[in-house]
Protein backbone atom coordinates (compact mmCIF):
# COMPACT_ATOMS: atom_id res chain seq x y z
CA UNK A 1 0.00 0.00 0.00
CA UNK A 2 1.41 3.40 -1.02
CA UNK A 3 1.52 6.43 1.26
CA UNK A 4 -1.32 8.11 -0.67
CA UNK A 5 -3.49 5.01 -0.22
CA UNK A 6 -2.71 4.93 3.49
CA UNK A 7 -3.75 8.58 3.80
CA UNK A 8 -7.00 7.98 1.88
CA UNK A 9 -7.82 5.07 4.19
CA UNK A 10 -7.50 7.16 7.35
CA UNK A 11 -10.33 6.67 9.82
CA UNK A 12 -11.78 9.44 12.07
CA UNK A 13 -9.90 7.92 15.03
CA UNK A 14 -6.67 8.09 13.02
CA UNK A 15 -7.25 11.78 12.28
CA UNK A 16 -7.77 12.46 16.00
CA UNK A 17 -4.42 10.78 16.67
CA UNK A 18 -2.64 12.87 14.03
CA UNK A 19 -4.17 16.10 15.36
CA UNK A 20 -3.05 15.18 18.89
CA UNK A 21 0.50 14.58 17.60
CA UNK A 22 0.51 18.02 15.95
CA UNK A 23 -0.79 19.66 19.14
CA UNK A 24 2.22 18.18 20.97
CA UNK A 25 4.38 20.64 19.01
CA UNK A 26 2.75 23.46 20.98
CA UNK A 27 4.85 24.88 23.86
CA UNK A 28 2.10 24.31 26.45
CA UNK A 29 2.35 20.51 26.05
CA UNK A 30 5.07 19.07 28.29
CA UNK A 31 6.82 15.72 27.89
CA UNK A 32 4.81 13.94 30.65
CA UNK A 33 1.51 15.25 29.25
CA UNK A 34 2.47 14.05 25.76
CA UNK A 35 3.27 10.60 27.13
CA UNK A 36 -0.08 10.38 28.96
CA UNK A 37 -1.93 11.65 25.89
CA UNK A 38 -0.35 8.96 23.72
CA UNK A 39 -1.12 6.23 26.26
CA UNK A 40 -4.73 7.44 26.60
CA UNK A 41 -5.35 7.38 22.85
CA UNK A 42 -3.76 3.91 22.62
CA UNK A 43 -6.02 2.65 25.42
CA UNK A 44 -9.11 3.75 23.47
CA UNK A 45 -7.91 2.35 20.13
CA UNK A 46 -7.07 5.67 18.45
CA UNK A 47 -3.64 4.58 17.16
CA UNK A 48 -3.34 4.17 13.35
CA UNK A 49 -2.36 0.64 12.37
CA UNK A 50 -1.39 1.34 8.75
CA UNK A 51 1.78 3.22 9.73
CA UNK A 52 4.93 1.80 11.32
CA UNK A 53 4.95 4.14 14.32
CA UNK A 54 7.86 2.36 15.99
CA UNK A 55 10.13 3.02 13.01
CA UNK A 56 8.84 6.60 12.73
CA UNK A 57 9.52 7.22 16.43
CA UNK A 58 13.06 5.89 16.11
CA UNK A 59 13.80 8.21 13.17
CA UNK A 60 12.24 11.29 14.77
CA UNK A 61 14.09 10.62 18.02
CA UNK A 62 17.39 10.42 16.13
CA UNK A 63 16.64 13.68 14.29
CA UNK A 64 15.67 15.47 17.51
CA UNK A 65 18.85 14.33 19.29
CA UNK A 66 20.99 15.50 16.36
CA UNK A 67 19.17 18.84 16.39
CA UNK A 68 19.86 19.27 20.10
CA UNK A 69 23.56 19.09 19.28
CA UNK A 70 23.35 22.54 17.67
CA UNK A 71 22.51 24.02 21.07
CA UNK A 72 25.38 22.36 22.96
CA UNK A 73 28.57 24.31 23.72
CA UNK A 74 31.62 22.24 22.74
CA UNK A 75 33.78 23.27 25.70
CA UNK A 76 30.96 22.62 28.16
CA UNK A 77 30.30 19.24 26.53
CA UNK A 78 33.95 18.23 26.87
CA UNK A 79 34.05 19.37 30.49
CA UNK A 80 30.79 17.60 31.37
CA UNK A 81 31.99 14.39 29.71
CA UNK A 82 35.34 14.59 31.50
CA UNK A 83 33.69 15.11 34.89
CA UNK A 84 31.08 12.42 34.35
CA UNK A 85 33.24 9.74 32.71
CA UNK A 86 34.12 7.96 35.95
CA UNK A 87 30.49 7.98 37.09
CA UNK A 88 29.34 6.64 33.71
CA UNK A 89 31.82 3.75 33.65
CA UNK A 90 31.33 2.75 37.28
CA UNK A 91 27.52 2.90 36.99
CA UNK A 92 27.54 0.66 33.89
CA UNK A 93 29.69 -2.06 35.45
CA UNK A 94 27.85 -1.82 38.77
CA UNK A 95 24.47 -2.23 37.07
CA UNK A 96 25.58 -5.14 34.87
CA UNK A 97 27.10 -7.00 37.83
CA UNK A 98 24.07 -6.37 40.04
CA UNK A 99 21.82 -7.46 37.17
CA UNK A 100 23.70 -10.76 36.84
CA UNK A 101 23.49 -11.31 40.60
CA UNK A 102 19.79 -10.42 40.89
CA UNK A 103 18.88 -12.51 37.82
CA UNK A 104 20.45 -15.55 39.48
CA UNK A 105 18.76 -14.79 42.82
CA UNK A 106 15.31 -14.31 41.23
CA UNK A 107 15.79 -17.43 39.07
CA UNK A 108 14.90 -15.36 36.02
CA UNK A 109 15.80 -16.39 32.46
CA UNK A 110 19.47 -15.38 31.99
CA UNK A 111 19.07 -13.66 28.62
CA UNK A 112 15.99 -11.72 29.73
CA UNK A 113 17.81 -10.61 32.88
CA UNK A 114 20.90 -9.59 30.92
CA UNK A 115 18.83 -7.56 28.46
CA UNK A 116 17.11 -5.70 31.32
CA UNK A 117 20.49 -5.06 32.97
CA UNK A 118 22.00 -3.81 29.70
CA UNK A 119 18.99 -1.55 29.11
CA UNK A 120 19.28 -0.13 32.63
CA UNK A 121 23.06 0.26 32.44
CA UNK A 122 23.26 2.06 29.11
CA UNK A 123 20.27 3.43 27.24
CA UNK A 124 17.11 1.39 27.57
CA UNK A 125 15.47 0.16 24.40
CA UNK A 126 18.43 1.07 22.17
CA UNK A 127 20.80 -1.07 24.24
CA UNK A 128 18.29 -3.95 24.30
CA UNK A 129 17.87 -3.70 20.52
CA UNK A 130 21.67 -3.81 20.06
CA UNK A 131 22.42 -6.60 22.55
CA UNK A 132 19.44 -8.83 21.67
CA UNK A 133 20.68 -10.09 18.26
CA UNK A 134 24.24 -10.31 19.58
CA UNK A 135 23.17 -12.93 22.19
CA UNK A 136 20.57 -14.58 19.91
CA UNK A 137 17.72 -13.65 22.26
CA UNK A 138 14.24 -14.87 21.40
CA UNK A 139 11.46 -12.41 20.58
CA UNK A 140 9.68 -13.10 23.87
CA UNK A 141 12.87 -12.41 25.86
CA UNK A 142 13.43 -9.14 24.02
CA UNK A 143 9.77 -8.11 24.40
CA UNK A 144 9.82 -8.72 28.17
CA UNK A 145 12.95 -6.61 28.56
CA UNK A 146 11.55 -3.80 26.40
CA UNK A 147 8.22 -3.80 28.25
CA UNK A 148 10.00 -3.59 31.61
CA UNK A 149 12.17 -0.67 30.54
CA UNK A 150 9.17 0.98 28.87
CA UNK A 151 7.21 1.04 32.12
CA UNK A 152 10.08 2.42 34.21
CA UNK A 153 10.86 5.10 31.61
CA UNK A 154 7.29 6.35 31.84
CA UNK A 155 7.53 6.54 35.63
CA UNK A 156 10.90 8.32 35.46
CA UNK A 157 9.47 11.08 33.33
CA UNK A 158 7.24 12.13 36.23
CA UNK A 159 9.28 11.01 39.24
CA UNK A 160 12.70 12.47 38.53
CA UNK A 161 11.75 16.16 38.06
CA UNK A 162 9.58 15.95 41.21
CA UNK A 163 12.47 14.52 43.26
CA UNK A 164 14.88 17.05 41.75
CA UNK A 165 12.69 19.99 42.79
CA UNK A 166 12.07 18.44 46.21
CA UNK A 167 15.83 18.17 46.83
CA UNK A 168 16.42 21.59 45.21
CA UNK A 169 19.03 20.09 42.87
CA UNK A 170 20.97 22.43 40.61
CA UNK A 171 20.48 22.25 36.85
CA UNK A 172 23.86 20.57 36.38
CA UNK A 173 23.31 18.07 39.19
CA UNK A 174 19.87 17.08 37.94
CA UNK A 175 21.08 16.74 34.35
CA UNK A 176 23.88 14.45 35.53
CA UNK A 177 21.50 12.34 37.62
CA UNK A 178 18.97 12.00 34.80
CA UNK A 179 21.72 10.94 32.36
CA UNK A 180 22.99 8.22 34.70
CA UNK A 181 19.78 6.88 36.25
CA UNK A 182 17.09 7.04 33.53
CA UNK A 183 17.07 4.36 30.83
CA UNK A 184 16.03 5.65 27.40
CA UNK A 185 17.48 8.78 25.82
CA UNK A 186 13.96 10.04 25.12
CA UNK A 187 12.98 9.98 28.81
CA UNK A 188 16.34 11.41 29.88
CA UNK A 189 15.95 14.37 27.56
CA UNK A 190 12.24 14.70 28.36
CA UNK A 191 12.80 14.79 32.13
CA UNK A 192 15.83 17.09 31.88
CA UNK A 193 14.07 19.38 29.41
CA UNK A 194 11.18 19.89 31.82
CA UNK A 195 13.72 20.80 34.53
CA UNK A 196 15.59 23.44 32.51
CA UNK A 197 17.78 24.11 29.46
CA UNK A 198 21.06 23.72 31.37
CA UNK A 199 19.90 20.39 32.77
CA UNK A 200 18.88 19.37 29.24
CA UNK A 201 22.30 20.16 27.77
CA UNK A 202 24.16 18.35 30.56
CA UNK A 203 21.87 15.33 30.42
CA UNK A 204 22.03 15.01 26.63
CA UNK A 205 25.82 15.18 26.53
CA UNK A 206 26.36 12.65 29.32
CA UNK A 207 23.60 10.35 28.14
CA UNK A 208 25.08 10.04 24.66
CA UNK A 209 28.54 9.50 26.13
CA UNK A 210 26.93 6.67 28.13
CA UNK A 211 25.18 5.36 25.01
CA UNK A 212 28.54 4.85 23.26
CA UNK A 213 29.07 1.93 25.62
CA UNK A 214 26.44 0.01 23.64
CA UNK A 215 29.20 -1.21 21.34
CA UNK A 216 31.67 -2.74 23.88
CA UNK A 217 28.83 -4.13 26.02
CA UNK A 218 27.20 -5.74 22.97
CA UNK A 219 30.52 -7.33 21.96
CA UNK A 220 31.09 -8.53 25.53
CA UNK A 221 27.56 -9.93 25.66
CA UNK A 222 28.12 -11.83 22.41
CA UNK A 223 31.22 -13.46 23.91
CA UNK A 224 29.46 -14.21 27.19
CA UNK A 225 26.48 -15.91 25.57
CA UNK A 226 28.46 -17.28 22.58
CA UNK A 227 26.31 -15.19 20.24
CA UNK A 228 27.00 -13.36 16.98
CA UNK A 229 29.02 -10.15 17.28
CA UNK A 230 28.38 -9.41 13.56
CA UNK A 231 24.73 -8.63 14.36
CA UNK A 232 25.55 -5.68 16.60
CA UNK A 233 23.88 -2.42 15.54
CA UNK A 234 25.77 0.85 15.98
CA UNK A 235 23.84 4.03 16.95
CA UNK A 236 25.20 6.33 14.22
CA UNK A 237 22.99 9.25 15.29
CA UNK A 238 25.43 9.83 18.17
CA UNK A 239 28.16 10.62 15.63
CA UNK A 240 25.88 13.11 13.86
CA UNK A 241 25.06 14.67 17.24
CA UNK A 242 28.80 15.22 17.81
CA UNK A 243 29.09 16.64 14.28
CA UNK A 244 26.29 19.13 15.03
CA UNK A 245 28.18 20.32 18.13
CA UNK A 246 31.34 20.81 16.04
CA UNK A 247 29.47 22.72 13.32
CA UNK A 248 27.90 25.07 15.90
CA UNK A 249 31.34 25.66 17.44
CA UNK A 250 33.43 26.21 14.30
CA UNK A 251 30.77 28.01 12.21
CA UNK A 252 29.36 30.40 14.83
CA UNK A 253 27.97 32.98 12.37
CA UNK A 254 24.74 30.99 12.09
CA UNK A 255 24.12 31.00 15.84
CA UNK A 256 20.54 32.31 15.52
CA UNK A 257 19.70 29.44 13.15
CA UNK A 258 21.23 26.90 15.54
CA UNK A 259 19.01 28.19 18.35
CA UNK A 260 15.94 27.72 16.15
CA UNK A 261 17.01 24.15 15.35
CA UNK A 262 17.63 23.47 19.05
CA UNK A 263 14.18 24.79 20.05
CA UNK A 264 12.46 22.89 17.22
CA UNK A 265 14.25 19.69 18.26
CA UNK A 266 12.96 20.06 21.82
CA UNK A 267 9.39 20.24 20.51
CA UNK A 268 9.98 17.29 18.18
CA UNK A 269 11.16 15.29 21.17
CA UNK A 270 7.81 15.90 22.88
CA UNK A 271 6.10 14.43 19.81
CA UNK A 272 8.41 11.41 20.12
CA UNK A 273 7.27 10.91 23.70
CA UNK A 274 3.66 11.11 22.52
CA UNK A 275 4.39 8.34 20.00
CA UNK A 276 6.20 6.31 22.66
CA UNK A 277 3.18 6.68 24.94
CA UNK A 278 0.94 5.42 22.16
CA UNK A 279 2.97 2.21 22.12
CA UNK A 280 2.31 1.50 25.79
CA UNK A 281 -0.76 -0.68 26.26
CA UNK A 282 -2.30 -2.46 29.22
CA UNK A 283 -1.48 -5.81 27.59
CA UNK A 284 2.21 -4.88 27.36
CA UNK A 285 2.20 -3.94 31.03
CA UNK A 286 0.65 -7.30 31.91
CA UNK A 287 3.05 -9.23 29.71
CA UNK A 288 6.02 -7.73 31.52
CA UNK A 289 5.38 -10.12 34.39
CA UNK A 290 6.40 -9.62 38.00
CA UNK A 291 9.94 -11.08 37.93
CA UNK A 292 11.32 -9.01 35.02
CA UNK A 293 9.64 -5.89 36.43
CA UNK A 294 11.01 -6.66 39.91
CA UNK A 295 14.52 -6.99 38.46
CA UNK A 296 14.08 -3.72 36.59
CA UNK A 297 12.91 -1.92 39.74
CA UNK A 298 15.79 -3.34 41.83
CA UNK A 299 18.40 -2.19 39.31
CA UNK A 300 16.72 1.17 38.80
CA UNK A 301 16.48 1.91 42.53
CA UNK A 302 20.08 0.81 43.04
CA UNK A 303 21.61 2.95 40.31
CA UNK A 304 19.23 5.84 40.99
CA UNK A 305 19.98 5.94 44.71
CA UNK A 306 23.73 5.34 44.35
CA UNK A 307 24.19 8.00 41.66
CA UNK A 308 22.02 10.51 43.53
CA UNK A 309 24.06 10.00 46.71
CA UNK A 310 27.31 10.51 44.82
CA UNK A 311 26.02 13.62 43.07
CA UNK A 312 24.68 15.17 46.26
CA UNK A 313 27.98 14.53 48.07
CA UNK A 314 30.55 15.37 45.40
CA UNK A 315 28.97 17.62 42.73
Amino acid sequence: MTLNQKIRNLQPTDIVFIIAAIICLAPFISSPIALILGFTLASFGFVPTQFNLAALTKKLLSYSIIGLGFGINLNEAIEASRQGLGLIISSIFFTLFLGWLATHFLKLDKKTGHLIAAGTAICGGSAIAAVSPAINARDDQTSLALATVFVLNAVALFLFPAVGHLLEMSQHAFGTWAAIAIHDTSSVVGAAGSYGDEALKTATTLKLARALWIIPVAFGSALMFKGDSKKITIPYFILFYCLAILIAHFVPQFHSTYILIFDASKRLLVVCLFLIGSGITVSKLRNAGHKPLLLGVILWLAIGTASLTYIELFL
Side-chain angles (χ1 to χ4, degrees):
M1 186 182 293
T2 65
L3 180 60
N4 287 335
Q5 289 174 322
K6 289 180 179 180
I7 293 173
R8 284 197 297 268
N9 289 335
L10 286 175
Q11 302 298 314
T13 54
D14 300 336
I15 295 173
V16 170
F17 182 87
I18 293 171
I19 292 173
I22 294 172
I23 290 174
C24 287
L25 290 169
F28 56 83
I29 300 293
S30 65
S31 298
I33 291 176
L35 190 78
I36 291 177
L37 182 58
F39 173 72
T40 302
L41 291 180
S43 300
F44 287 98
F46 280 70
V47 179
T49 56
Q50 61 267 52
F51 300 105
N52 188 345
L53 292 183
L56 176 62
T57 304
K58 187 176 181 179
K59 286 183 179 180
L60 291 180
L61 180 59
S62 297
Y63 296 152
S64 63
I65 294 299
I66 294 168
L68 290 176
F70 287 100
I72 306 295
N73 180 277
L74 177 61
N75 295 325
E76 291 177 359
I78 293 173
E79 181 62 19
S81 299
R82 186 187 65 80
Q83 290 181 353
L85 184 60
L87 185 57
I88 290 171
I89 295 173
S90 58
S91 66
I92 288 173
F93 282 98
F94 168 73
T95 305
L96 290 173
F97 174 73
L98 182 60
W100 172 81
L101 204 62
T103 297
H104 178 74
F105 179 77
L106 293 172
K107 297 180 179 178
L108 181 64
D109 173 77
K110 290 182 180 179
K111 288 187 177 180
T112 302
H114 183 71
L115 289 174
I116 293 172
T120 306
I122 308 172
C123 57
S126 299
I128 293 170
V131 173
S132 180
I135 66 173
N136 296 321
R138 300 190 310 270
D139 287 345
D140 62 305
Q141 295 167 327
T142 304
S143 296
L144 281 173
L146 286 171
T148 300
V149 168
F150 230 35
V151 172
L152 298 180
N153 269 317
V155 175
L157 205 55
F158 297 91
L159 181 63
F160 272 65
V163 173
H165 287 300
L166 182 66
L167 297 178
E168 298 182 348
M169 297 179 72
S170 68
Q171 292 280 315
H172 177 71
F174 181 82
T176 302
W177 186 42
I180 297 298
I182 300 179
H183 311 74
D184 274 338
T185 303
S186 56
S187 291
V188 169
V189 179
S194 67
Y195 203 80
D197 276 356
E198 186 183 339
L200 173 63
K201 294 175 182 178
T202 300
T204 305
T205 301
L206 290 180
K207 179 60 179 177
L208 295 181
R210 181 180 162 203
L212 287 172
W213 282 82
I214 285 179
I215 301 168
V217 168
F219 274 111
S221 300
L223 293 174
M224 185 188 306
F225 287 90
K226 297 180 173 60
D228 189 355
S229 60
K230 294 179 181 179
K231 293 182 179 180
I232 294 170
T233 56
I234 300 173
Y236 289 107
F237 73 90
I238 298 176
L239 301 179
F240 288 108
Y241 166 82
C242 295
L243 179 61
I245 295 176
L246 292 175
I247 291 173
H249 180 78
F250 290 108
V251 192
Q253 55 265 40
F254 299 107
H255 178 72
S256 58
T257 302
Y258 301 148
I259 294 301
L260 290 176
I261 295 174
F262 178 75
D263 290 338
S265 297
K266 287 196 295 181
R267 297 317 311 166
L268 183 59
L269 182 73
V270 176
V271 176
C272 291
L273 288 165
F274 166 78
L275 295 174
I276 289 171
S278 69
I280 303 174
T281 60
V282 175
S283 62
K284 282 187 178 179
L285 300 182
R286 287 174 181 164
N287 290 338
H290 72 280
K291 280 191 177 181
L293 190 58
L294 179 58
L295 173 63
V297 170
I298 290 172
L299 296 179
W300 193 39
L301 288 177
I303 191 61
T305 304
S307 58
L308 177 61
T309 302
Y310 175 88
I311 290 166
E312 289 289 277
L313 289 176
F314 299 107
L315 286 189

